[in-house]
Structure formats: structure tokens, C-alpha cells
Amino acid sequence: MKIGLVGATQAAVAGLGAPAELAAIAAPGTVIQAFPTRMPVFAHTPLEFAMQALNTTEAGVAAAAAGCDALVINSFSDYGIAALKAAVDIPVVGAAEATLRFVATLGPRFSIVTVWPPSLDYMPRQVMRDAGAEGACARIRHVGDEAVVAGSARPDGYVSALQHAEGDIVARIQAQCDAAAEQDGVDAIILGCTCMSPIAARLRSRLPILNPLAVALKVAE
């Protein structure tokens, strides 16, 4: 089985194979190939979100043409999922879509821990509304502040530092997971960005911590 990882944010694996954390859980015989967008846009606002949806759809169509058996959208925002599902005749799995369906099997309430600031909450709230899951979300907890998305540039340095566990970023994410487990009255914690996938295994909690990219991979398989 060949799975296309569409819209990869992990620059180190763009155009290559599986990120290590996905390769470790993939079934025997599963091949994962990254298909990044040609013109990546950071979704500061709904306008850029729409542009990213078009970019992701284009990358997904290319992945299908390259012989993939299923596609995984590498974003908790599920950019362009409806258009991509209409454009190709293979399964398309959104990281958010898959995770929000799965989390309901663990209990009625969850919190999201995201590395992004409150100004970007419109994205997880939209995917939760689409999934009928917004009422089950106790809280969105933020690790990053508005400075990480200030200006018009894509915050690649911030994402790179996160994925390489530089500085105190893992400790800050862990602190928010701990707070969610102790204060939010939830049954599970969702990591609110697939850019957190490389460090997801470092996090510990008495509650399940869901890595949406890993969930989507297993659903695609």
C-alpha cells in the first residue's frame, strides 16, 4: 500500500519517505511518500486558508496520479478535504476528521493543545464544527503567543525548532497537556497541529494524547 502524505509541513521529509514516527507504526508493506504543496501559504486568515486548500488539493491530485492508494492530509486543518475527496477516486483521510471521530470512542470530552496562538483558533473550531464535535471540546490550550505568527512570513523557524525539540518547547507542550489532564475534566488530549508529530512520543499523560497524523495514517491503512 502506498499512502501519500499531502501538504507536508515536515520540511526534512518533503518529497521523500515516511517521517520516522510514522514509519515506526506503519503496517508491513505500507510505503509513505510526502507530497508537499508547491506554493505553501501560512493561514493567518481565512483568505490564506482558502489558498492553502487549493494548494493541498493540487498536491493531492498529483499524489493520486503518482499511484497512491490513499491520501492523508498533513494538517489538523484538513485543508481542501472536500475538494480533494471530489477530485480523486481513492480514500482521502484528514488528520482532524479521523482524530475527531476516533476521540469520541475514548470518552465524551477532550481538550486540544496547540502550538499556535488564539488568533488561529478559527481553524480547529471550523474542523470541529464540520465534524459535529465542537461541543465536546472543553478547551483549546495554547503554547505559542501571537509573536510566532506576527507579520506576513511563514513561521518556519518556529516549526523547525518545534520539530527538532529545541529549547523548552517540549516542556511547554507537556505543561499544557498536564494542565488539561488535571483541570479540564476530559477523557483525552488532541495535539492541535500535525507539526507536533515528530515530538508526540515524548509527551506523557495519564490520559491518551492523540497525534492526529498517526491516527490518520492508521485510518488510511
Side-chain angles (χ1 to χ4, degrees):
M1 170 182 288
K2 181 178 179 181
I3 294 179
L5 191 60
V6 180
T9 57
Q10 287 90 334
V13 301
L16 302 176
E21 75 278 6
L22 297 187
I25 64 170
T30 294
V31 175
I32 303 172
Q33 181 176 347
F35 290 84
T37 54
R38 289 193 306 128
M39 296 180 291
V41 177
F42 188 77
H44 293 277
T45 70
L47 173 60
E48 290 95 352
F49 185 98
M51 295 170 66
Q52 187 67 295
L54 290 173
N55 288 333
T56 301
T57 302
E58 179 189 50
V61 169
C68 290
D69 299 295
L71 306 179
V72 169
I73 297 178
N74 187 359
S75 171
F76 194 68
S77 298
D78 285 354
Y79 296 121
I81 187 169
L84 187 52
K85 284 182 176 183
V88 300
D89 59 359
I90 58 176
V92 176
V93 180
E97 175 188 62
T99 304
L100 291 170
R101 288 179 177 174
F102 176 70
V103 74
T105 69
L106 302 176
R109 300 283 284 170
F110 63 87
S111 280
I112 293 174
V113 172
T114 177
V115 294
W116 303 114
S119 63
L120 300 186
D121 280 359
Y122 77 90
M123 289 186 279
R125 293 199 181 283
Q126 181 61 56
V127 294
M128 286 191 289
R129 282 194 293 271
D130 291 343
E134 192 171 21
C137 180
R139 184 170 177 176
I140 301 177
R141 290 182 169 271
H142 307 91
V143 174
D145 58 24
E146 299 296 340
V148 303
V149 293
S152 59
R154 297 174 68 243
D156 292 331
Y158 178 64
V159 171
S160 177
L162 162 67
Q163 293 176 344
H164 291 91
E166 297 173 1
D168 65 349
I169 188 65
V170 174
R172 290 162 57 200
I173 296 169
Q174 182 67 65
Q176 290 300 323
C177 290
D178 292 344
E182 296 303 320
Q183 301 172 15
D184 294 355
V186 294
D187 305 286
I189 298 164
I190 296 174
L191 301 181
C193 182
T194 59
C195 65
M196 303 163 78
S197 181
I199 56 89
R202 297 172 181 243
L203 304 172
R204 297 289 182 269
S205 176
R206 62 179 178 81
L207 299 179
I209 299 178
L210 301 184
N211 173 2
L213 199 55
V215 175
L217 169 65
K218 302 314 290 185
V219 170
E221 287 181 328

